[in-house]
Amino acid sequence: MSQILYQLDESTLDFPPIDCALTEPNGLLALGGDLSSARLLRAYSQGIFPWFSEDDPLMWWSPDPRAIIDIEQLRINRTLAKSIRKVPYTITLNQDFIQVIQLCADAPFRTDETWILDDMQAAYINLHQQGHAHSIEIWHTDEHNHKELVGGLYGVAINGFFSGESMFYKQSNASKFALIALGQLLKSNNINFIDCQLLNPFLEDMGAKEISRNDFIQRQQRAITKIMPDYFWQSRTLTLT
């Protein structure tokens, strides 16, 4: 059966139904539109996210299967558990979103071209300023009391639904600390999963798994109805437990 790739209408924020997404490439749903905050929020509320490279058109995705982490199944090995008990870093929430997204775009370990282009950075910074995108920062302070951002992650939250976008690390385990901190933060308000969008070896090692798009949407829609307290995303220092 032939499949149709939709071109978004500039005059509306509407997306096609997610079951119209292509099977190859997996999850490609539509082209075009823009990265306005209104369109991004409409997309995330339906389990859709943008992902494209520099020479590509703006592309929107809803893959099947979908990668998630059940927070109760977040995998912490013995070595990492020892590091957590020593807590070699300071962990913060929403204290330097801009530097986090810039470092995610230019992560030291990245070998391919970044998809976090300048337009994407600007769009998510706008979302952050409106209270919809959030960052976890991992800081290291050296013997000279110099503080450096050595790891972190960012993503989009709509009520109780959190969709992780990217992470980076400069020092051992720093991105793992960020993910654990996010998991504990969400769990503190009875949120039980993190949307990881697409599975990769790092996420799989941390306990991520794939579920069907239908199962994901059911869980996502339940999470999105959970209203978070006003203080929940306020900038502060986080403590791992």
Side-chain angles (χ1 to χ4, degrees):
M1 187 174 75
S2 62
Q3 293 184 296
I4 298 172
L5 182 57
Y6 287 82
Q7 176 72 39
L8 295 184
D9 186 338
E10 296 286 347
S11 65
T12 176
L13 299 177
D14 291 343
F15 285 90
I18 57 174
D19 57 8
C20 294
L22 303 185
T23 55
E24 183 59 42
N26 177 22
L28 181 57
L29 177 66
L31 302 177
D34 56 37
L35 292 170
S36 67
S37 295
R39 191 181 298 275
L40 283 169
L41 291 173
R42 177 70 67 87
Y44 281 94
S45 71
Q46 298 175 49
I48 301 165
F49 59 88
W51 183 37
F52 59 99
S53 299
E54 187 168 10
D55 296 326
D56 294 331
L58 178 49
M59 296 189 285
W60 301 88
W61 302 79
S62 181
D64 186 10
R66 184 83 165 219
I68 68 163
I69 290 178
D70 279 318
I71 293 172
E72 290 287 355
Q73 297 174 11
L74 192 58
R75 190 175 297 142
I76 302 173
N77 62 32
R78 186 176 301 176
T79 302
L80 187 56
K82 288 181 179 178
S83 296
I84 290 173
R85 288 194 292 271
K86 295 178 181 177
V87 192
Y89 304 119
T90 300
I91 305 171
T92 59
L93 170 66
N94 282 333
Q95 289 197 359
D96 203 333
F97 184 93
I98 292 175
Q99 189 178 181
V100 167
I101 196 171
Q102 289 173 344
L103 286 169
C104 285
D106 192 26
F109 58 82
R110 190 180 299 283
T111 57
D112 54 353
E113 291 186 3
T114 184
W115 55 271
I116 310 174
L117 307 172
D118 289 347
D119 287 350
M120 289 282 274
Q121 291 183 43
Y124 286 87
I125 290 169
N126 283 339
L127 274 185
H128 171 68
Q129 291 169 343
Q130 294 170 26
H132 302 298
H134 308 285
S135 59
I136 303 284
E137 301 90 14
I138 307 298
W139 303 91
H140 177 258
T141 303
D142 64 18
E143 64 272 16
H144 304 295
N145 210 33
H146 173 70
K147 187 177 172 183
E148 180 186 7
L149 187 61
V150 297
L153 61 78
Y154 76 96
V156 175
I158 303 178
N159 293 336
F161 171 60
F162 188 93
S163 184
E165 279 295 315
S166 188
M167 58 177 58
F168 82 97
Y169 66 90
K170 290 183 178 181
Q171 291 191 12
S172 177
N173 290 332
S175 57
K176 294 180 181 180
F177 270 77
L179 185 58
I180 293 165
L182 173 65
Q184 291 189 0
L185 175 67
L186 295 173
K187 185 180 177 181
S188 73
N189 205 51
N190 299 314
I191 305 303
N192 60 21
F193 81 100
I194 301 167
D195 173 28
C196 301
Q197 300 179 353
L198 299 168
L199 195 63
N200 63 38
F202 170 83
L203 292 170
E204 191 169 20
D205 186 58
M206 293 297 293
K209 64 182 180 181
E210 291 183 323
I211 61 175
S212 72
R213 181 167 56 211
N214 284 341
D215 287 348
F216 166 75
I217 290 298
Q218 289 178 15
R219 295 185 63 163
Q220 186 248 11
Q221 290 299 305
R222 287 196 297 270
I224 217 167
T225 62
K226 185 173 179 60
I227 304 302
M228 309 298 276
D230 291 340
Y231 66 83
F232 192 79
W233 293 110
Q234 286 179 0
S235 176
R236 61 188 185 273
T237 299
L238 300 176
T239 301
L240 295 184
T241 56

